[in-house]
Amino acid sequence: MARKTDIPPSYYGEPRKFDPGFRGPIHNRGCTDVVCCVVFVIFILGYIALGTVAWIHGDPRKVVYPTDSHGQFCGQQGTPNANKAILFYFNILQCANPAVLINLQCPTTQLCVSKCPDRFATYLDMQYNYRYNKSYWEYYRQFCKPGFDNPRKSVAQVLRDEDCPSMIVPSRPFLQRCFPDFITRNGTLTVANKTVFKDGLGKTRSVIDLRDAANGITSLLDAKEVGMKIFEDYANSWYWILIGLVITMVVSLAFILLLRFTAGVLLWLIIFGVIAVVGYGIWHCYWEFSTLRGKPHGDGDVTISDIGFQTDFRVYLQLSQTWLIFMISLSVIEAVIIIILIFLRRRVRIAIALLKEGSRAIGYIMSTLFYPIITFVLLAICIAYWAVTAVFLASSGDAVYKVMSTPDKCVYANLTCDPETFSQTNVTKVCPGSQCTFAFYGGESLYHRYIFVLQLCNLLVFLWLVNFTIALGQCTLAGAFASYYWALRKPQDIPSCPLFSSFSRAVRYHTGSLAFGSLILAVVQMFRIVLEYLDHKLKGAHNAFARFLICCLKCCFWCLEHFIKFMNRNAYIMIAIYGKNFCTSAKDAFFLLMRNVVRVAVLDKVTDFLLFLGKVLISGSVGVLAFFFFTRKIPVIQEEVPSLNYYWVPLLTVIFGSYLIAHGFFNVYAMCVDTLFLCFCKYTIHLFKYSPAWGCKGLLYDTKTGVCVGELKGCPCHMTLLER
């Protein structure tokens, strides 16, 4: 038996308390942070009340359906506009930009129609042709106010009373609104193959005027076209995408279980596999680059800036510059990976031992791998409730009408009005052609004045609930893995339902502590959102100092958020094991980590790095398989590949989805490793290389009792082979 004096003091430092009788998460617990628990429950009840009030006052139809000048919904069932789901603007030339159009504040009459115009026409032309053919009026009247049936009314009176538009242009619906049907032919902007049109007021206008009035709509329409093609690709390939994600799930599960037996081999294979994959990517990029460069009159010398933005991303793959950028990026990644491995090669072996123990724990408690599903469901409920409440709050209020006047100097412009009594006022006399038009939904009551504050409260409680859900998952998993660590005989002494027992303890005793930590993080995240909003507002400002200050604050709060996340995670582990309140657990975790700062910085981060390599290898392997499949490069199943507009749509979906699935599995695994590491570091058990002079068969030594822990029968020590 080795004595304490046999060990040099420099090896073990200051002795600390060790309890050989400790057997894991205590069961005789008391409720912690009760005050915060009560506050949390009150806030949840208030959140439910807020959602109820928003549901009573709100009307989501105001968001779903466009609204005409009289505040009536377009396309709403049970109304005269049931078959008129599209909003039509009498004179789109009076609309300045897309924001005005979408906000329904364009100073022209807005009317619900069943379809958009498909031809150029003016009211003057209609009156002229009406004498010979009544069908001209039948077509034109569908874009006039309901009930108007006097095609012989003078043009001046029609335009004054806004009975009919002075002109109509070929349009197509976008966002349930009629916008000019712009088409670019040979670099020339046209509408229905025309570059000019009559405005109905005796002038000939250019199509460019329409483009200026609906600035940005062309790019939005192009984006919509791309979106439709992407939707078609998803509809044709969803089955194969699902197969790829199932393969990822099976591979991730097998990967974690295999670490129990072949952690060293698998991890070194991951390392060299990633290096090989990145190396192949570098070679392939160089081959593509040299091939395109070698073409005599190809696209090798064309740069990305020369062609600009293209919706067909395959165009970029024909440029040598694209492959050069890929090659340089992969080379940098390859160099960083190799340098990290050179300096941390010794610590990799220690991380392998941690991963083996974590894999053994996962093997005994398989149910923990599926707990992320519970977290996902709870997060989905939080997100759905927040989104619905936000929509109902945004749609709260009554219709507000404002005076819309074409003359810029009208004294009544933008003042509220009543459409029922508007014709009896002198506004139309002072400002000829002005109208009382629907503007937005709002009100002057106390509730309506504080809707913005209620939206902020909605966001804050949402962040609180999301962080609480994540905290509950971390505490639950930590309690389950701690039960495994401190079990004397495995699996006999492991509780029958460790995950459920840990979840029950966390909810019953530590809701207040989890809510306390979640609230701190939610407040910091709220400040970050406010700073992002201010930064967005100051982008056009010329105050350099204000923007610099905002940038510094954003950086500081980003660091603070990540530090709090790290501390909360370890505090929840201590709460799960020892059942103390949040502040005490956070303090114990902080000083424990500071006493083992080197181990934390190296072992924990090396483990995170190796798990990240595993996620990259799994998602990358499935991505390569999906690439060869969707590009029809696998002859055996070439006929099964669906027809696609963009093969990268299902490819990126498979890669991103695979990474998320692997991330979910490995997050559980990382929580297991962190819990085992903190359990190991809690006491003054020090790690030594094997020395026969000490007469110690194991490698773990307790500096308090002078006993080699590895020799204690049934002692819950699993790290005896960490380093030899």
Side-chain angles (χ1 to χ4, degrees):
M1 179 70 66
R3 298 185 305 274
K4 181 176 180 179
T5 55
D6 294 330
I7 307 301
S10 60
Y11 274 81
Y12 55 78
E14 182 183 355
R16 293 183 298 275
K17 182 179 178 181
F18 175 70
D19 181 12
F22 183 74
R23 291 296 178 262
I26 61 176
H27 297 280
N28 298 325
R29 297 172 180 249
C31 295
T32 57
D33 296 306
V34 179
V35 175
C36 197
C37 179
V38 173
V39 173
F40 183 61
V41 172
I42 292 175
F43 266 80
I44 291 179
L45 295 177
Y47 198 34
I48 296 174
L50 174 62
T52 304
V53 173
W55 181 79
I56 293 174
H57 290 86
D59 187 355
R61 295 176 302 177
K62 300 171 184 177
V63 179
V64 176
Y65 300 106
T67 310
D68 64 11
S69 297
H70 301 286
Q72 298 176 346
F73 300 124
C74 297
Q76 181 184 356
Q77 298 298 322
T79 66
N81 293 330
N83 297 322
K84 301 177 180 180
I86 307 172
L87 192 66
F88 171 75
Y89 298 91
F90 269 30
N91 189 356
I92 198 172
L93 293 174
Q94 295 181 9
C95 304
N97 53 59
V100 172
L101 298 178
I102 295 173
N103 291 330
L104 303 177
Q105 294 180 5
C106 182
T108 186
T109 301
Q110 299 146 27
L111 184 71
C112 296
V113 296
S114 58
K115 63 178 181 179
C116 295
D118 58 4
R119 68 193 71 169
F120 279 111
T122 65
Y123 189 81
L124 285 173
D125 293 337
M126 183 278 301
Q127 279 191 324
Y128 177 78
N129 294 315
Y130 172 73
R131 294 178 294 178
Y132 309 103
N133 191 341
K134 306 294 184 183
S135 62
Y136 282 92
W137 168 243
E138 295 299 325
Y139 178 79
Y140 204 91
R141 69 182 298 180
Q142 61 184 325
F143 304 108
C144 297
K145 287 183 178 179
F148 179 73
D149 191 13
N150 186 11
R152 294 185 176 87
K153 187 175 181 179
S154 66
V155 177
Q157 292 178 334
V158 168
L159 298 182
R160 181 197 62 192
D161 299 335
E162 292 281 345
D163 293 322
C164 289
S166 63
M167 64 171 182
I168 56 176
V169 298
S171 307
R172 54 177 167 172
F174 181 72
L175 299 176
Q176 290 185 274
R177 292 159 176 84
C178 291
F179 292 121
D181 189 7
F182 296 112
I183 299 176
T184 302
R185 297 185 182 276
N186 299 324
T188 303
L189 186 68
T190 64
V191 174
N193 296 324
K194 292 185 178 181
T195 58
V196 295
F197 64 96
K198 298 179 180 179
D199 64 357
L201 301 175
K203 296 181 181 179
T204 300
R205 308 286 291 267
S206 172
V207 170
I208 297 177
D209 295 335
L210 288 175
R211 183 195 62 185
D212 295 338
N215 185 28
I217 298 302
T218 305
S219 59
L220 292 176
L221 292 174
D222 291 339
K224 180 186 178 182
E225 185 177 353
V226 174
M228 292 299 297
K229 291 182 179 179
I230 291 176
F231 179 80
E232 292 176 1
D233 289 342
Y234 277 126
N236 294 331
S237 61
W238 69 269
Y239 178 76
W240 296 103
I241 293 175
L242 188 61
I243 291 177
L245 298 181
V246 171
I247 292 175
T248 302
M249 188 179 300
V250 174
V251 173
S252 299
L253 179 61
F255 179 87
I256 291 178
L257 295 180
L258 285 176
L259 286 179
R260 180 178 180 181
F261 308 102
T262 58
V265 176
L266 278 178
L267 288 177
W268 286 113
L269 283 177
I270 288 174
I271 294 171
F272 291 112
V274 171
I275 292 175
V277 169
V278 177
Y280 170 78
I282 295 173
W283 175 84
H284 182 77
C285 292
Y286 174 77
W287 181 80
E288 292 282 358
F289 172 76
S290 59
T291 301
L292 292 173
R293 274 290 186 183
K295 291 182 178 181
H297 299 289
D299 297 328
D301 296 329
V302 180
T303 63
I304 296 177
S305 59
D306 292 336
I307 64 173
F309 175 75
Q310 300 291 329
T311 57
D312 188 359
F313 292 97
R314 289 175 293 185
V315 174
Y316 297 106
L317 299 180
Q318 306 300 321
L319 306 180
S320 61
Q321 188 185 54
T322 302
W323 294 103
L324 178 62
I325 294 173
F326 288 162
M327 182 176 64
I328 294 175
S329 302
L330 291 177
S331 300
V332 172
I333 294 174
E334 184 88 331
V336 170
I337 293 175
I338 293 175
I339 291 174
I340 291 176
L341 290 176
I342 290 175
F343 285 96
L344 301 179
R345 63 188 185 278
R346 293 183 179 178
R347 298 296 180 179
V348 169
R349 289 179 295 173
I350 302 177
I352 288 173
L354 280 171
L355 292 172
K356 282 184 178 180
E357 195 62 29
S359 179
R360 188 178 293 111
I362 293 286
Y364 284 124
I365 315 177
M366 290 284 292
S367 57
T368 55
L369 289 175
F370 301 97
Y371 186 84
I373 298 177
I374 299 176
T375 302
F376 175 80
V377 172
L378 293 177
L379 289 177
I381 293 174
C382 293
I383 294 173
Y385 188 86
W386 166 77
V388 171
T389 302
V391 169
F392 273 89
L393 282 174
S395 59
S396 297
D398 301 322
V400 175
Y401 298 85
K402 289 192 174 183
V403 177
M404 296 294 179
S405 177
T406 303
D408 298 332
K409 298 182 180 180
C410 178
V411 294
Y412 296 101
N414 294 323
L415 296 180
T416 56
C417 58
D418 186 353
E420 296 182 358
T421 61
F422 182 73
S423 59
Q424 303 173 6
T425 63
N426 65 340
V427 177
T428 54
K429 299 178 182 178
V430 177
C431 303
S434 59
Q435 305 174 67
C436 186
T437 305
F438 168 79
F440 54 87
Y441 290 98
E444 299 298 330
S445 66
L446 181 65
Y447 169 77
H448 294 112
R449 286 200 300 266
Y450 285 94
I451 282 182
F452 179 73
V453 177
L454 295 178
Q455 287 282 24
L456 292 180
C457 295
N458 181 33
L459 179 60
L460 177 61
V461 180
F462 164 70
L463 294 175
W464 193 358
L465 290 176
V466 167
N467 290 314
F468 176 82
T469 301
I470 297 174
L472 179 61
Q474 292 175 344
C475 189
T476 299
L477 293 174
F481 292 128
S483 299
Y484 159 83
Y485 182 87
W486 296 106
L488 296 180
R489 297 172 299 170
K490 299 176 177 59
Q492 292 85 352
D493 290 344
I494 300 177
S496 57
C497 299
L499 186 66
F500 178 76
S501 300
S502 179
F503 180 83
S504 301
R505 288 196 301 268
V507 173
R508 181 178 179 181
Y509 298 108
H510 307 304
T511 297
S513 298
L514 301 180
F516 189 17
S518 304
L519 177 61
I520 296 174
L521 184 57
V523 171
V524 174
Q525 291 173 339
M526 192 70 180
F527 274 107
R528 286 197 64 197
I529 293 175
V530 173
L531 289 175
E532 290 290 344
Y533 174 78
L534 294 177
D535 183 56
H536 176 73
K537 289 295 184 182
L538 290 174
K539 278 186 177 179
H542 299 287
N543 192 335
F545 176 76
R547 297 191 61 183
F548 172 76
L549 181 61
I550 291 293
C551 184
C552 292
L553 289 175
K554 286 172 59 179
C555 180
C556 293
F557 274 93
W558 181 88
C559 295
L560 179 61
E561 179 185 357
H562 283 73
F563 174 76
I564 291 177
K565 283 183 178 179
F566 175 76
M567 288 307 305
N568 281 5
R569 179 185 178 93
N570 291 280
Y572 298 148
I573 295 175
M574 302 298 285
I575 290 173
I577 299 174
Y578 301 103
K580 298 180 181 179
N581 59 44
F582 176 79
C583 292
T584 303
S585 299
K587 182 194 69 174
D588 292 344
F590 177 78
F591 286 110
L592 180 62
L593 295 175
M594 289 299 101
R595 290 194 298 266
N596 299 272
V597 63
V598 177
R599 293 179 183 174
V600 173
V602 178
L603 299 183
D604 188 48
K605 294 308 173 184
V606 167
T607 303
D608 290 343
F609 175 68
L610 294 177
L611 292 179
F612 172 74
L613 291 182
K615 287 183 273 188
V616 171
L617 183 63
I618 291 175
S619 58
S621 301
V622 176
V624 170
L625 179 63
F627 172 78
F628 284 113
F629 174 77
F630 289 115
T631 54
R632 301 176 183 270
K633 294 184 178 180
I634 303 179
V636 180
I637 54 177
Q638 194 173 24
E639 300 298 329
E640 302 294 332
V641 180
S643 179
L644 301 171
N645 296 300
Y646 309 114
Y647 73 87
W648 51 264
V649 171
L651 176 62
L652 292 181
T653 304
V654 170
I655 294 175
F656 183 70
S658 299
Y659 185 84
L660 289 181
I661 291 175
H663 179 72
F665 276 91
F666 287 172
N667 261 1
V668 174
Y669 196 63
M671 196 67 195
C672 176
V673 173
D674 289 345
T675 303
L676 299 181
F677 183 67
L678 278 185
C679 289
F680 168 67
C681 290
K682 177 62 179 175
Y683 297 103
T684 56
I685 299 174
H686 288 260
L687 183 65
F688 300 98
K689 292 187 177 181
Y690 174 71
S691 176
W694 295 341
C696 180
K697 297 179 182 179
L699 301 178
L700 299 176
Y701 186 85
D702 173 28
T703 60
K704 176 68 175 177
T705 62
V707 176
C708 180
V709 180
E711 292 183 338
L712 295 178
K713 182 178 180 181
C715 180
C717 253
H718 315 294
M719 304 302 172
T720 56
L721 298 178
L722 279 182
E723 190 174 57
R724 285 193 176 186

